[in-house]
Amino acid sequence: MSAKFAVLRSFLVSGLSISLFCVVWELIANANVIPNFPGSLQTFGELIWWISDPFFDNGPNDLGIGFNLLISLRRVLIGYTLAMIVAIPVGLFVGVSKTVKSSVDPYVQLLKPVSPLAWLPIGLFVFRNSEITGIFVIFITSIWPTLINTSIGVQSVDSDVLKVARSLGASRSNTIIKVILPAVMPNILAGMRISMGTAWLVIVAAEMLLGTGIGYFIWNEWNNLYVANIFVAIIIIGITGFILDQLFEFLQLQFNYDS
Amino acid sequence: MNANPIVSDETFSEKEEDSHVKIVNLQKVFPVSRATLFNKKIENYIALDGINLDIKKNTFVSLIGPSGCGKSTLLNLLAGLDSFTSGEIFIEGKHLTGPGPDRGVIFQNYALMPWLTAAGNIDYALETACPELSPSQRREKSRYFLNMVGLERSMDKFPRQISGGMKQRVAIARALSINPTMLLMDEPFGALDALTRSYLQEEVLKIWEKNRVTALLITHSIEEALLMSDKIVLMSSGPSANIADIIDVPLPRPRIRKIIEKNSLFIDIKLKLEEHLLRETRAVEESS
């Protein structure tokens, strides 16, 4: 009963906070300090318009928001999946072998702090294709958090569990697949969650330069000087990112060994 | 006091085939790197020095000594999990070459795989150590050994869902399931509360008295060593730890705690052990 009440209470408080925010937003917009700044009413009007017909196609500069969102999601999913195929095994080997760690570490340390957008011109130069470049940028973005989390996880595997595996005569490959990999699953998922978060941040910026996708939608509306639609895109990007993050939280709960 | 007696059993004549483990002049040195401002020095830390020990087949031997005396190091060496510097270890007459499923290992913190159920943990051990078994045979064995430790109803529970004592029982079942000729136990009751500990001690004792294997138990508890062992190996304090004394515990089996605690022999040996441990612990505390 009290737990139910607490949930209801937090919903009410959140709802109240959002309503209050929208009222203040509308008031500030109407005060006309910044000319033509869209208010909350206009923004939500546009939001309803866009989501009531998300899939229309009148050429690349007039695409429904649903199509743009799907284009962005597709790029993220392909780039991200490819990155995971590389990051998880490499992370495991980095964690297991000092030699692999020493040979991979310089790249990780050097490339991790570089903004993924710096790779965009390289991608365009190499692939001569904006679609593949977008995927490439997401690939580079997504690799590091998962790789690093995986390798750190391997180093923190319970040494007694590893001793048990060895005392049973487990081979190295058996130990990696049957002991280390499941033991590191929580770390891998935590890394994957961060990777997904960053990928979703980066795709918006990358698409402003690439054409099509939700990022390009924002850039296009800026060129049209239609700011309300930019807010619409921000709301949709935020909600999508939230859903993606919740998906990983759900997965993490499935691999929580402690409780 | 730090004389290094070579074990010999006075009541029986020494026969090679009775020996399960024979340790000859064993030394273990750890390289310890000490980084200073300008350079890194590698120093040698002698953990074990001049260990000679003979463990007879199907006997229960306890290893007792002050903290940091290298008891766990010795157990790891016997398990084949670590390499020794010099000396020799023979297991059933053959040179020890590495880990193997002839030795079941039990650790203080259970070392269960948290992503597997109780039965799953045993199944993993069987799958790894006895690949010739079919899945249904493995299931059969898992059930049999969980039954032996009284956990048949918790087969499908995950480690997080069961108590510390139950976890250790799963670990014991896992160690026994691969049918080892030797059990190596590194303070298996050390992480348990007092009541669970004494319950499990008696459970393990009962299981062992029914299915005898060679057992080596590392413990801090004199009572535990006395209750369970045929022989108690006293280790001196490290560095360069070695065997200070070996004490026979000729108390009759099956042993029941309540009865043997009143035995005068029990009380005599207990006093002797307490004296030794106190002296060695004092040496450790006053050296630092």
Side-chain angles (χ1 to χ4, degrees):
Chain A
M1 191 64 208
S2 66
K4 248 185 194 170
F5 180 73
V7 171
L8 192 72
R9 204 181 110 108
S10 81
F11 264 110
L12 272 173
V13 173
S14 304
L16 210 66
S17 163
I18 291 171
S19 317
L20 199 68
F21 176 79
C22 290
V23 170
V24 173
W25 176 7
E26 186 64 26
L27 288 175
I28 292 174
N30 285 341
N32 223 13
V33 184
I34 303 161
N36 299 321
F37 192 84
S40 53
L41 291 176
Q42 193 196 346
T43 303
F44 283 110
E46 288 295 347
L47 180 65
I48 288 162
W49 187 86
W50 280 107
I51 57 180
S52 60
D53 183 16
F55 298 105
F56 61 83
D57 185 356
N58 304 325
N61 286 338
D62 193 9
L63 208 58
I65 197 134
F67 274 134
N68 275 319
L69 190 66
L70 285 180
I71 288 167
S72 301
L73 280 172
R74 189 187 63 204
R75 285 175 180 152
V76 165
L77 257 101
I78 297 172
Y80 178 85
T81 308
L82 293 174
M84 294 307 105
I85 291 170
V86 175
I88 296 168
V90 173
L92 285 175
F93 285 118
V94 168
V96 170
S97 153
K98 282 213 171 94
T99 318
V100 177
K101 183 179 162 58
S102 311
S103 55
V104 173
D105 235 12
Y107 306 102
V108 176
Q109 300 305 335
L110 189 79
L111 299 181
K112 184 184 61 166
V114 176
S115 165
L117 291 177
W119 290 96
L120 210 122
I122 307 283
L124 287 171
F125 176 74
V126 173
F127 302 115
R128 320 251 158 178
N129 175 312
S130 66
E131 188 63 30
I132 298 177
T133 303
I135 290 168
F136 168 69
V137 168
I138 294 306
F139 172 80
I140 298 269
T141 308
S142 311
I143 278 190
W144 314 121
T146 304
L147 197 160
I148 292 165
N149 253 284
T150 305
S151 68
I152 289 174
V154 173
Q155 278 148 26
S156 60
V157 175
D158 183 355
S159 63
D160 283 347
V161 168
L162 292 175
K163 280 184 188 171
V164 165
R166 278 184 61 204
S167 78
L168 292 167
S171 66
R172 207 169 152 84
S173 59
N174 175 291
T175 308
I176 291 175
I177 294 165
K178 292 239 159 176
V179 183
I180 294 177
L181 185 63
V184 176
M185 258 333 261
N187 301 70
I188 293 178
L189 282 170
M192 285 174 73
R193 190 176 180 181
I194 301 168
S195 286
M196 181 50 91
T198 336
W200 191 239
L201 287 179
V202 166
I203 192 65
V204 174
E207 283 174 343
M208 290 191 183
L209 300 159
L210 290 175
T212 70
I214 195 83
Y216 182 70
F217 175 89
I218 290 181
W219 195 247
N220 198 32
E221 294 305 326
W222 165 240
N223 286 330
N224 296 339
L225 270 178
Y226 201 78
V227 180
N229 281 349
I230 299 179
F231 282 120
V232 168
I234 287 173
I235 292 166
I236 286 173
I237 291 166
I239 291 171
T240 311
F242 173 74
I243 292 169
L244 289 173
D245 193 61
Q246 288 299 297
L247 220 68
F248 278 96
E249 188 175 306
F250 173 77
L251 277 176
Q252 281 183 301
L253 281 175
Q254 311 309 306
F255 285 91
N256 186 348
Y257 302 140
D258 299 325
S259 56
Chain B
M1 197 59 221
N2 279 353
N4 203 1
I6 292 174
V7 191
S8 63
D9 203 318
E10 279 134 59
T11 48
F12 301 98
S13 64
E14 193 87 73
K15 276 192 290 176
E16 265 321 304
E17 59 262 37
D18 281 333
S19 164
H20 193 151
V21 176
K22 192 176 175 72
I23 301 174
V24 183
N25 214 6
L26 186 75
Q27 192 193 44
K28 172 66 185 173
V29 178
F30 287 107
V32 186
S33 68
R34 232 171 244 154
T36 61
L37 195 54
F38 299 108
N39 59 352
K40 210 165 102 178
K41 262 198 292 190
I42 306 278
E43 280 175 16
N44 284 332
Y45 176 84
I46 304 170
L48 299 170
D49 198 11
I51 302 275
N52 290 290
L53 182 63
D54 202 342
I55 299 175
K56 298 230 167 310
K57 250 184 205 139
N58 300 344
T59 57
F60 202 117
V61 176
S62 287
L63 212 54
I64 200 165
S67 299
C69 72
K71 303 186 292 284
S72 294
T73 305
L74 184 56
L75 183 128
N76 279 338
L77 294 179
L78 285 175
L81 295 169
D82 203 352
S83 61
F84 44 93
T85 312
S86 66
E88 283 174 298
I89 298 180
F90 298 95
I91 305 259
E92 295 183 283
K94 288 185 212 100
H95 269 110
L96 178 131
T97 47
D102 60 313
R103 282 150 286 154
V105 191
I106 299 169
F107 293 103
Q108 182 174 4
N109 292 312
Y110 329 123
L112 296 181
M113 294 169 190
W115 56 91
L116 297 175
T117 60
N121 268 282
I122 298 171
D123 192 77
Y124 168 80
L126 289 167
E127 193 189 359
T128 310
C130 324
E132 71 280 3
L133 294 176
S134 72
S136 68
Q137 286 173 311
R138 294 204 302 264
R139 213 166 311 130
E140 191 59 39
K141 276 198 161 218
S142 301
R143 186 170 296 132
Y144 173 81
F145 282 98
L146 280 171
N147 197 20
M148 182 187 271
V149 295
L151 278 181
E152 63 281 6
R153 287 195 301 159
S154 303
M155 270 185 71
D156 298 319
K157 289 206 171 127
F158 286 94
R160 62 173 178 274
Q161 297 169 312
I162 59 180
S163 70
M166 290 160 95
K167 282 185 221 176
Q168 195 57 292
R169 282 193 271 163
V170 176
I172 292 163
R174 174 176 64 183
L176 292 171
S177 70
I178 57 168
N179 203 19
T181 51
M182 185 172 193
L183 266 185
L184 299 167
M185 297 173 272
D186 193 351
E187 294 189 46
F189 312 114
L192 303 171
D193 65 85
L195 289 173
T196 313
R197 186 185 309 149
S198 64
Y199 171 72
L200 259 196
Q201 284 166 352
E202 287 183 89
E203 281 299 294
V204 169
L205 190 62
K206 258 189 243 161
I207 291 170
W208 181 81
E209 282 172 347
K210 264 188 230 150
N211 321 266
R212 286 208 176 194
V213 291
T214 310
L216 182 70
L217 171 82
I218 288 180
T219 176
H220 274 123
S221 159
I222 292 168
E223 287 84 356
E224 183 174 305
L226 277 167
L227 173 70
M228 305 185 84
S229 328
D230 298 312
K231 264 183 186 166
I232 300 176
V233 176
L234 288 169
M235 288 188 70
S236 69
S237 53
S240 298
N242 56 23
I243 291 167
D245 204 356
I246 293 169
I247 292 169
D248 278 309
V249 188
L251 294 165
R253 292 184 189 272
R255 291 181 187 165
I256 293 150
R257 189 192 305 271
K258 268 188 265 175
I259 297 168
I260 69 155
E261 274 178 356
K262 296 192 185 93
N263 192 310
S264 65
L265 193 60
F266 180 95
I267 297 161
D268 283 351
I269 303 173
K270 193 179 158 191
L271 278 173
K272 194 172 163 189
L273 288 169
E274 275 170 357
E275 202 182 312
H276 166 85
L277 270 185
L278 197 64
R279 188 171 52 238
E280 291 297 334
T281 305
R282 189 176 292 136
V284 173
E285 292 299 323
E286 285 174 0
S287 71
S288 50

